[in-house]
Amino acid sequence: MTDENKVAETVSADEKLDSAGAAGAGTSGVANDSCAAGAAGAAGATPSPKRCRRKVTAVVATVVVVLVAAGAGFMVWHDQPSFCNAICHTPMDGYLTTYESTPGEAATDKWGNQVADASSMLAPVHAQEGITCVGCHVPQMSEQVTEGLGWLTGSYSVVQTADERFVPEEKSLSDLTAARGIASEAFCLNSGCHVNDDGSTMTRDDLVEKTSYMKRNPHVQEHGEVACSECHKAHRASTVYCSKCHSDATIPDGWISYKEAEALEPTAVE
C-alpha cells in the first residue's frame, strides 16, 4: 500500500469517528431536552395528594410546636408576681411592692404605710426563699373564674390606701384555704413549708416549744384556736394579737401592736 493510500484511510477513519460523535451528541441533546421538558411539566403540574398531605402535616406540626412553647412560657410567667400585677389584678401594685421589699430594711406595706422592717412582712421573707405568689395563693379554677369575672366587670371591692391608691380588701387565712378544703393551720404547718430541723412536719406543740422562752408564749392557745394570720401578716407589718388585751405582750422589732394595726386599716370603697 502506498503512502497516499494510508493517508486516505486515516482521514476516512477520522471522519467516521467525528460523525459518530456528532450523532451521539445529538442523541444526548434530545434526551436532555426531554428531561427538561419533563421537569417543566412536573413543575407546572398539580401537586400529588401525598405531597399536599406532607405540607399540611408540616404546617400543623409547626403550629402545635409554637402553641406548646407559648403555653409553656405563659405558665412560667403565670407563677411570677408580675403576672398578678400586670394581668389579673389592676390594683395589685401595693402587694407587688411588699414582695419586692428587702428584709431588714424599711419598706411600705400594701396600704402605703411605712414599715420599720420588711422582715415583719411574710411576703419579702418568703421571696428571699424563692417562694412566689402561687406558693401561698394556690390558684383554684373556681377562684380564678370568680376573680377573672370580677376583674373584667370591675365588680370587686377595694380600699383606699394612705397614698390614695386602691387595693383589694384583705383576705383572711380561711379565705385562702376554703377552695382547697384544708384547715387554716395546715396552710403553714405542712411538709412543704415549715418543718422541724429533722424534716418532720411541724405541729402546734413544736411551735409552743420554740417560743417557750417568751414571757407570754403566743403559740399557747389559752383562748381557743387563733389562726396564724391573726399575728403573721404577708403584706403588712405583723401584729402581736395578744396585745389586744395584754399590755405586757412582747412586740418583736418591726412588728406592731394590735391597736396600731387597727389604726392603719383603710376604709372600704365600693
Side-chain angles (χ1 to χ4, degrees):
M1 181 180 293
T2 63
D3 292 339
E4 292 179 356
N5 290 334
K6 290 181 179 180
V7 170
E9 289 181 359
T10 301
V11 170
S12 177
D14 289 342
E15 289 175 348
K16 289 180 179 179
L17 289 173
D18 290 342
S19 298
T27 304
S28 175
V30 171
N32 289 338
D33 289 344
S34 298
C35 290
T46 302
S48 67
K50 183 180 292 185
R51 181 175 298 177
C52 290
R53 286 196 295 271
R54 285 200 296 267
K55 288 183 178 180
V56 171
T57 301
V59 171
V60 171
T62 301
V63 171
V64 170
V65 170
V66 171
L67 290 176
V68 169
F74 179 82
M75 290 308 298
V76 171
W77 186 36
H78 178 270
D79 290 348
Q80 304 306 311
S82 59
F83 174 84
C84 301
N85 175 246
I87 298 298
C88 293
H89 306 292
T90 302
M92 292 295 283
D93 291 340
Y95 288 79
L96 183 62
T97 298
T98 63
Y99 183 84
E100 295 175 340
S101 301
T102 303
E105 298 181 3
T108 303
D109 71 7
K110 64 181 178 182
W111 292 331
N113 302 301
Q114 292 299 308
V115 177
D117 186 344
S119 298
S120 66
M121 297 187 291
L122 294 178
V125 174
H126 284 76
Q128 293 290 307
E129 299 297 325
I131 300 173
T132 62
C133 300
V134 294
C136 294
H137 301 273
V138 179
Q140 296 291 318
M141 183 57 67
S142 58
E143 291 178 307
Q144 292 194 65
V145 170
T146 300
E147 292 176 356
L149 290 174
W151 178 70
L152 289 172
T153 61
S155 58
Y156 50 81
S157 299
V158 296
V159 294
Q160 187 170 12
T161 67
D163 52 358
E164 298 184 350
R165 287 182 293 107
F166 295 94
V167 299
E169 289 184 303
E170 186 172 52
K171 287 188 175 182
S172 66
L173 186 56
S174 59
D175 291 328
L176 297 177
T177 59
R180 284 185 283 168
I182 62 174
S184 294
E185 193 164 290
F187 184 81
C188 302
L189 302 181
N190 62 74
S191 59
C193 293
H194 298 286
V195 297
N196 295 309
D197 295 336
D198 61 1
S200 60
T201 302
M202 188 175 289
T203 65
R204 172 71 68 165
D205 290 338
D206 294 326
L207 288 175
V208 171
E209 178 63 27
K210 284 183 175 293
T211 53
S212 59
Y213 65 91
M214 300 179 69
K215 180 179 180 180
R216 188 177 297 281
N217 194 329
H219 293 117
V220 173
Q221 296 187 327
E222 298 179 353
H223 307 292
E225 183 176 351
V226 177
C228 303
S229 59
E230 291 290 355
C231 291
H232 300 280
K233 307 297 182 181
H235 300 282
R236 60 185 176 97
S238 291
T239 304
V240 179
Y241 182 74
C242 299
S243 65
K244 179 179 181 179
C245 300
H246 304 284
S247 59
D248 62 343
T250 302
I251 299 178
D253 293 339
W255 287 45
I256 57 178
S257 68
Y258 186 84
K259 289 184 178 181
E260 289 174 318
E262 280 190 312
L264 295 178
E265 293 189 15
T267 304
V269 177
E270 295 296 336

